[in-house]
Amino acid sequence: MSDLIRATRAGPVHLVVLALTVLVFAIGVYSSDRFATPLNLANVQDQMVALAIVALAQTIVILSGGIDLSYAGALSAMCVVFAMLAGDDPASFSLAVVTVLALGVGIGLINGGITAHVGIHPLIVTLGTSTILAGAALLLTNQPTGSVPVFFEDFVYGRAGSVPYGMIFVMALYVLIGTMLWKTRFGTRIYAIGDNEHAASISGLPVRRTKVFVYVLSGVICAIAAIYMTGRFGVGDPRAGVGFDLRSITPVIVGGTLLAGGRGGVLGTFLAVILLAFLGNVLNFLNVSSAFQWIVEGLIIVAAVSFFARRTGK
Amino acid sequence: MSDIALKPVTSSARRNKDTVRARNRREVWMLLAFLLAIWAVTALLSPRFLNPANLRDILVLAAPLGFVVIGQMIVIIVRGLDLSVASIMATVAVLAIGLGDNVFVIMALGLMLGAAMGAFNGYLVAYRNVTPFLATLATMIVLQGVRFAYTGGAPSGTLPDGLRFLSTGTIAGVPVSLLLLLAVAFCAHWMLERTILGRRFKLYGVNPQAARMTGAPVRFLVVLAFTISGLMAAIGGLVLVGYVGIVDNWTGRGYELDSIAAAVIGGAALTGGKGSVPGALLAALILVSLFNIVVILGMSIELQLVIKGTLIILAAAVYMKRRDN
């Protein structure tokens, strides 16, 4: 057990997020009988899957000391491409999956390559690629287009009891990436570079190559999110990714990962996604308008950052 | 030995300053050449482009972005980033239409509101150690909520004629918004290049530790930079609604990223300490021109997103290369 705690870097941060989640659940149960029903719990999980996948990608990038704002354009472009190719039989579906994953690799190579080898701030690079991809998606189609095979839609909407298949997939993905971060040399390097790039560089770590890998991984995970989202919508929406660039950052920060890099992990992000999703759900049950929900979200970001800044002294 | 001692101490410093100055000046000339080049190419392809009315449209549309990018650039100079400018623009605009119809009262209150919101960003960054990116992201979201709570979803009220005059009126044939922008830009440029304050902004951006050692009030500098950004966003928001003619909860949407793009294309570096007002304004003009050019040449409007994104990366790469040389 203590090994697991050490390996997953579980700490007070996660306890705080868990406690807040329990509090939110308690308020939910207290305020509405419809909250704790299997249907509602499953719906909330359905809503968090896409953001959970994108936030996972963002966590890896932020841990390495970078940031990836390309999701907005990348998701839009990949959703359109996927829906255009997916057709309605397994063969075309497989082709679409492979194409979109390859696109993810390509976008990651461009983001990572320019960031690592030209030395431009990743924020500027990914802002640029996001803008280009958003334009490309709209050039491909101005309206939602294409389709997804029925068997894929069945899977995306499928549930095992009150747990959606999508959620099970997300947990598997988090465990996979978490294991990579905790158990492999590549994962250790990400932490090292995020904590102190200069030190990592003079220690002989392959900083540039690792950075390129980070953005490629981010692009591939973003592609997985695009495939899932297209399955949910049933069409390729050229505006599917709007807002995901900034929305992906909140769960990462609330989960205790430092924007400066090097501290945090995917466990916190996962817990924060759950907390934020159920918080929104409970606020809806309490008839709190979206206006006040935004105010709450902004205050949560400030509170989280202040809290972690004091804790780590960073 | 003795001739080293006799050398005036200022010489190396002056030489250094001149090279930085000269490099900045060359960058501004580069941007101007680029702007004139794309204008010339478009003029050759379409006779409608050089029509005075069209050029005036470009300038008037560039004015709101011009105000915002001046503030954004000063924040970037002190190693910050302001994602809340668009939200401040819209919030000030939404609150302004409820303030009666005296344009001077609206302007005064609007500017104070914008400055206060900016100062709050600065407080979070300077006194609470919140990363600028996250501080302004939070402010952006909170103000969104404030706006929607205040308007109940749809802003109501009429735009005072005075505000319309700000963007559509002319004095001696020149649009008022442009005159105002030129005045503000002149003051900002003078402040950055010719005053101790401007020098301290840049020093802080280059090396915060050194700035602190020299006794510069570093926290005050950061708060001031964000306050200026909020103030500029407020002016930009009022000028923009004056131009569009209606107030909407999403007024100025996209300006946060466009202003960062324009600041970067104009020569600001996120590592801090670098940037110039003429460069930022030319970059804003380039971005707005591109939009107009794409429309005039009958290309699909989405193409300007592709061009804009490419331009951001290219510009940043060019500056990076120049710095390394």
Side-chain angles (χ1 to χ4, degrees):
Chain A
M1 185 69 205
S2 66
D3 279 355
L4 187 70
I5 289 176
R6 198 172 315 126
T8 56
R9 293 177 170 74
V13 174
H14 305 103
L15 283 180
V16 171
V17 177
L18 266 180
L20 286 173
T21 311
V22 171
L23 181 71
V24 165
F25 260 81
I27 296 172
V29 171
Y30 177 78
S31 60
S32 168
D33 348 335
R34 282 177 304 142
F35 172 76
T37 56
L39 181 66
N40 180 55
L41 297 183
N43 282 341
V44 177
Q45 290 175 74
D46 269 335
Q47 284 156 15
M48 68 171 93
V49 170
L51 185 60
I53 300 174
V54 180
L56 175 65
Q58 187 71 275
T59 307
I60 303 168
V61 179
I62 290 181
L63 279 178
S64 77
I67 192 157
D68 195 340
L69 295 183
S70 68
Y71 305 140
L75 283 171
S76 303
M78 293 197 268
C79 280
V80 170
V81 170
F82 183 75
M84 279 179 163
L85 297 176
D88 50 13
D89 59 281
S92 59
F93 173 77
S94 315
L95 173 75
V97 170
V98 171
T99 309
V100 170
L101 289 176
L103 260 181
V105 172
I107 293 167
L109 280 175
I110 293 172
N111 284 337
I114 299 177
T115 300
H117 290 276
V118 186
I120 305 174
H121 198 293
L123 195 134
I124 301 299
V125 177
T126 54
L127 175 62
T129 48
S130 182
T131 312
I132 294 170
L133 289 165
L138 289 164
L139 282 173
L140 282 172
T141 172
N142 229 320
Q143 306 297 334
T145 183
S147 62
V148 290
V150 176
F151 68 84
F152 182 58
E153 217 163 316
D154 286 343
F155 169 78
V156 167
Y157 278 89
R159 284 173 187 176
S162 66
V163 183
Y165 292 152
M167 199 63 201
I168 297 172
F169 176 77
V170 162
M171 289 187 211
L173 195 61
Y174 268 80
V175 170
L176 182 75
I177 298 292
T179 312
M180 181 215 73
L181 283 173
W182 304 320
K183 293 284 179 198
T184 68
R185 202 164 44 179
F186 174 56
T188 315
R189 283 173 182 173
I190 293 177
Y191 276 96
I193 290 169
D195 193 47
N196 189 336
E197 192 178 320
H198 184 63
S201 167
I202 55 181
S203 310
L205 296 186
V207 172
R208 286 179 171 178
R209 203 171 61 211
T210 310
K211 274 190 176 177
V212 174
F213 267 132
V214 162
Y215 286 93
V216 168
L217 194 57
S218 166
V220 169
I221 297 172
C222 182
I224 294 171
I227 293 170
Y228 174 84
M229 280 162 76
T230 315
R232 291 292 295 183
F233 298 145
V235 288
D237 180 359
R239 294 175 187 79
V242 172
F244 266 90
D245 45 358
L246 296 178
R247 276 183 61 204
S248 66
I249 292 169
T250 310
V252 180
I253 299 305
V254 173
T257 298
L258 290 188
L259 194 64
R263 307 265 174 89
V266 294
L267 177 64
T269 304
F270 183 70
L271 294 174
V273 168
I274 294 174
L275 169 67
L276 292 168
F278 280 102
L279 179 68
N281 180 246
V282 168
L283 289 175
N284 281 339
F285 273 119
L286 292 170
N287 284 328
V288 175
S289 70
S290 58
F292 284 99
Q293 292 195 26
W294 277 322
I295 295 176
V296 169
E297 188 187 346
L299 294 178
I300 286 179
I301 295 175
V302 173
V305 176
S306 307
F307 175 73
F308 298 134
R310 249 206 320 280
R311 255 191 71 257
T312 57
K314 229 184 161 178
Chain B
M1 181 74 208
S2 63
D3 56 12
I4 292 177
L6 289 174
K7 264 191 172 169
V9 268
T10 54
S11 73
S12 71
R14 177 162 303 160
R15 227 184 4 252
N16 219 346
K17 195 175 71 182
D18 279 350
T19 55
V20 172
R21 274 258 161 87
R23 192 178 65 182
N24 287 346
R25 258 203 300 273
R26 274 199 300 274
E27 283 175 3
V28 170
W29 284 116
M30 263 177 17
L31 286 165
L32 187 62
F34 182 77
L35 177 70
L36 292 177
I38 57 173
W39 278 17
V41 171
T42 318
L44 287 176
L45 293 173
S46 162
R48 279 189 308 150
F49 181 73
L50 284 183
N51 182 342
N54 188 49
L55 288 181
R56 207 182 109 162
D57 273 351
I58 294 178
L59 291 172
V60 169
L61 195 55
L65 183 58
F67 286 110
V68 178
V69 75
I70 289 173
Q72 183 73 262
M73 190 197 66
I74 292 173
V75 167
I76 292 179
I77 283 178
V78 296
R79 296 193 174 191
L81 194 71
D82 196 341
L83 292 176
S84 67
V85 285
S87 216
I88 291 178
M89 287 169 87
T91 311
V92 167
V94 160
L95 295 175
I97 51 174
L99 296 171
D101 48 12
N102 182 335
V103 71
F104 292 103
V105 172
I106 291 179
M107 285 294 279
L109 289 173
L111 298 193
M112 275 193 249
L113 278 170
M117 296 166 193
F120 179 70
N121 283 331
Y123 161 78
L124 287 178
V125 173
Y127 288 90
R128 287 265 151 262
N129 283 338
V130 182
T131 323
F133 186 95
L134 296 174
T136 55
L137 174 67
T139 307
M140 164 186 137
I141 299 171
V142 168
L143 287 178
Q144 210 165 286
V146 167
R147 216 160 51 231
F148 274 74
Y150 176 80
T151 57
S156 60
T158 51
L159 213 55
D161 288 339
L163 265 190
R164 295 284 290 156
F165 178 75
L166 199 62
S167 298
T168 55
T170 54
I171 295 176
V174 187
V176 179
S177 56
L178 278 185
L179 289 172
L180 191 61
L181 176 61
L182 286 175
V184 168
F186 185 81
C187 294
H189 184 61
W190 176 78
M191 185 275 290
L192 270 181
E193 306 298 333
R194 290 276 176 263
T195 65
I196 299 286
L197 179 66
R199 193 169 298 179
R200 281 180 165 174
F201 275 141
K202 287 183 176 176
L203 172 61
Y204 181 86
V206 172
N207 190 337
Q209 293 310 61
R212 193 174 299 124
M213 299 286 182
T214 61
V218 287
R219 283 179 163 175
F220 169 79
L221 284 179
V222 172
V223 173
L224 186 63
F226 279 97
T227 308
I228 293 173
S229 182
L231 190 70
M232 291 291 135
I235 304 179
L238 292 173
V239 169
L240 183 64
V241 289
Y243 177 77
V244 178
I246 47 168
V247 179
D248 172 301
N249 269 323
W250 296 115
T251 297
R253 196 172 203 174
Y255 269 68
E256 63 275 78
L257 299 181
D258 277 1
S259 63
I260 294 170
V264 168
I265 294 170
L270 289 191
T271 41
K274 187 175 169 294
S276 77
V277 173
L281 288 183
L282 281 171
L285 203 49
I286 288 170
L287 286 183
V288 175
S289 298
L290 280 177
F291 188 76
N292 181 278
I293 287 168
V294 166
V295 173
I296 284 250
L297 296 183
M299 303 189 246
S300 35
I301 291 186
E302 289 77 30
L303 202 63
Q304 60 115 6
L305 289 174
V306 178
I307 300 172
K308 188 160 76 180
T310 314
L311 201 58
I312 298 168
I313 297 177
L314 274 182
V318 168
Y319 291 129
M320 193 55 82
K321 265 211 112 44
R322 288 170 60 86
R323 204 194 62 181
D324 292 346
N325 297 343

